[in-house]
Amino acid sequence: MQLYHQFTFMNHPDSSLECQRDAFSLPADVHYLNCAARAPLNKLAEQAAYDALLRHVNPIDVRPDDFFTGSVTVRSLFAELIHQPDPERVAIIPSVSYGMSIVARNLYRKPGLRPHQKILMMAEEFPSDVYCWDRVAGELQLSITFVQKPAEFPQTSLWNTRFLEAIDTDTAVIVVSPVHWMYGNWVDLEAIGQRAREVGALFIVDGIQAVGAMPFYWEKIKPDALICASYKWLLGPYSIGLACFGEFFDEGVPIEESWMNRLKSNEFHRLTEYESSYQPKAYRYNMGQHAQFLQMPMLEASLRQLIDWQPERIQEYCRRLMAEALPKLQALGCFVEPEGTAPQPGRGHHLVGIWLPERVGSRIIEPITIQRKLLANKVAVSARGRVIRLAPHLYNNQDDIDVFMSEIEDVLT
């Protein structure tokens, strides 16, 4: 069953992108500005899902090597996307919380670790990046420290400065994202990574709200781990993700002892000749049943599409798409973190927090109320704290922005 034509990859890295709505099955009257919550599947991933489902209606042709080949391809594609030269450092995981738990499970192995050191994060971090440390912090007598967001605007440059100043020899682990998941503030990963290496701290990046939509250069940033779920900016399915682990984790302890992660595991006729050795590098951290026969082909299709589109060009498209709307929002009394100009950091273009005024006249403005009103008119955004979070992608066009602006103007005037 062939439902969609195969799109031709352009491979023109210097060309700017136009709207790619035809690559998705979104209805024409839906204005989906919420990729930071969940991405719609593109048609290539849809087709891959149908093909995989049909293949497994009758699995007689599934061979032992088929349990492994899909993940080998996906790991290589993800490595290419993040400019990691060694795909063996990539593992298949089900979620960010799983990847962070791998890090927490191995923290006791860190050289120089001692009681009363701190696990450092930016304030208002996503719960998956916080909860995984509670137990291990108690066991190892560590503290969890948050660097608070500045009260004054613009916030990004000062927030980065405060974070860098908080990194010292009492820092055991640093957990950050390329952009803040609620507000879109850009984080200077290269500077933080350099400081982490100076003090001997582990440097962990949660890439779920950036990788795929922003360029990520592993060898420049040099994290100890990069952890991503696929269902947001990787445009993949839910409950599968990818993590890249540096040398610290090469001989570490996995969450699961999956038979698939051991040497010679593709030799099904010899599985009871138990093998104590793992496959090299990050392979030991693959989740159980990581073949994921339905989801893996979908993720492969989406990664191929993203590599063709290229994160740099996605950022530029989102910048152009939002360029006229953001000043209008500010004129309505909202605050938007500036883009930033080198060397001062600003915000990303794919995830923008719109700080709403607390009142318009005598009316109290509640972001969640505005989100619900927008959704009733088929405009999807997120309400996070005091912000409306806009998260556009290549499937969005000027009509989506115009409808959003019309609804917001109706509320704020």
Side-chain angles (χ1 to χ4, degrees):
M1 182 186 297
Q2 185 71 25
L3 299 183
Y4 306 110
H5 68 279
Q6 295 296 310
F7 296 95
T8 302
F9 293 138
M10 295 184 296
N11 291 318
H12 297 308
D14 296 325
S15 62
S16 60
L17 288 167
E18 299 303 322
C19 181
Q20 302 291 313
R21 197 177 185 94
D22 288 345
F24 296 82
S25 296
L26 285 170
D29 62 343
V30 166
H31 310 284
Y32 193 78
L33 294 160
N34 206 15
C35 194
R38 185 171 179 179
L41 290 175
N42 62 75
K43 290 179 179 178
L44 290 178
E46 278 189 72
Q47 186 64 55
Y50 283 114
D51 293 345
L53 181 62
L54 289 176
R55 184 183 183 196
H56 288 277
V57 168
N58 178 10
I60 192 170
D61 292 328
V62 177
R63 303 289 186 246
D65 283 349
D66 295 333
F67 282 74
F68 303 91
T69 52
S71 68
V72 170
T73 301
V74 163
R75 290 161 70 219
S76 295
L77 289 169
F78 184 68
E80 181 179 351
L81 183 69
I82 65 172
H83 301 91
Q84 161 60 272
D86 186 359
E88 288 189 343
R89 297 213 163 276
V90 177
I92 308 296
I93 60 173
S95 63
V96 169
S97 60
Y98 187 100
M100 285 293 170
S101 294
I102 291 171
V103 178
R105 178 70 179 83
N106 284 275
L107 181 55
Y108 77 96
R109 301 173 50 250
K110 179 190 171 299
L113 185 70
R114 61 182 187 276
H116 310 302
Q117 286 189 301
K118 61 191 176 188
I119 300 163
L120 189 65
M121 287 176 270
M122 284 188 159
E124 300 178 80
E125 187 53 271
F126 192 79
S128 290
D129 293 342
V130 179
Y131 294 151
C132 68
W133 301 109
D134 287 344
R135 184 175 293 105
V136 73
E139 292 170 350
L140 299 176
Q141 300 180 58
L142 305 174
S143 63
I144 300 172
T145 300
F146 297 99
V147 177
Q148 296 302 312
K149 175 172 55 65
E152 61 271 30
F153 293 100
Q155 300 170 329
T156 304
S157 181
L158 180 56
W159 206 357
N160 274 266
T161 298
R162 287 180 179 178
F163 198 89
L164 285 166
E165 290 174 347
I167 302 171
D168 55 25
T169 55
D170 287 329
T171 306
V173 186
I174 297 164
V175 181
V176 291
S177 302
V179 296
H180 195 279
W181 72 283
M182 293 174 66
Y183 310 120
N185 303 77
W186 180 78
V187 178
D188 191 345
L189 297 182
E190 290 188 42
I192 292 171
Q194 176 62 40
R195 183 64 181 141
R197 290 185 290 276
E198 290 172 357
V199 302
L202 284 181
F203 177 35
I204 312 302
V205 177
D206 175 357
I208 190 173
Q209 289 292 13
V211 174
M214 294 181 75
F216 191 96
Y217 292 89
W218 176 274
E219 293 191 307
K220 289 184 178 180
I221 296 167
K222 299 179 181 177
D224 292 291
L226 168 67
I227 300 168
C228 302
S230 84
Y231 68 97
K232 298 179 186 284
W233 302 99
L234 292 180
L235 306 183
Y238 197 73
S239 72
I240 188 171
L242 295 141
C244 189
F245 294 101
E247 293 180 2
F248 169 79
F249 292 92
D250 283 355
E251 301 300 324
V253 183
I255 296 295
E256 302 178 65
E257 296 294 349
S258 171
W259 64 271
M260 295 179 68
N261 296 347
R262 303 300 177 104
L263 290 175
K264 304 176 185 177
S265 53
N266 63 327
E267 298 179 15
F268 283 18
H269 60 291
R270 299 175 60 185
L271 287 180
T272 54
E273 298 175 16
Y274 302 122
E275 176 61 62
S276 61
S277 297
Y278 294 99
Q279 300 271 14
K281 299 178 183 175
Y283 211 96
R284 68 184 62 204
Y285 300 118
N286 284 331
M287 66 182 184
Q289 300 184 2
H290 73 261
Q292 294 289 303
F293 289 114
L294 296 183
Q295 292 164 302
M296 197 69 72
M298 300 163 68
L299 182 52
E300 177 184 339
S302 290
L303 288 171
R304 290 189 187 280
Q305 183 68 89
L306 286 172
I307 288 169
D308 177 63
W309 282 336
Q310 298 175 22
E312 294 89 340
R313 298 195 295 166
I314 294 170
Q315 277 292 296
E316 174 58 20
Y317 180 81
C318 293
R319 185 195 68 78
R320 287 187 282 120
L321 184 67
M322 299 295 297
E324 294 184 7
L326 296 181
K328 293 178 182 178
L329 287 165
Q330 291 175 307
L332 291 169
C334 303
F335 183 83
V336 180
E337 189 74 11
E339 290 184 25
T341 55
Q344 296 298 318
R347 55 166 170 77
H349 299 298
H350 68 294
L351 193 159
V352 183
I354 310 298
W355 290 84
L356 300 172
E358 294 188 5
R359 291 176 176 271
V360 173
S362 61
R363 289 185 293 119
I364 297 174
I365 302 298
E366 293 289 351
I368 187 62
T369 302
I370 294 178
Q371 179 206 20
R372 291 168 179 164
K373 179 180 185 299
L374 289 167
L375 190 58
N377 290 287
K378 297 186 177 182
V379 181
V381 300
S382 287
R384 297 292 184 266
R386 285 298 311 164
V387 305
I388 288 291
R389 187 183 67 186
L390 291 184
H393 208 287
L394 297 177
Y395 46 76
N396 292 119
N397 55 30
Q398 190 59 51
D399 183 56
D400 294 324
I401 304 304
D402 291 345
V403 172
F404 166 77
M405 288 300 301
S406 176
E407 296 292 334
I408 287 291
E409 288 171 357
D410 184 58
V411 171
L412 298 182
T413 57

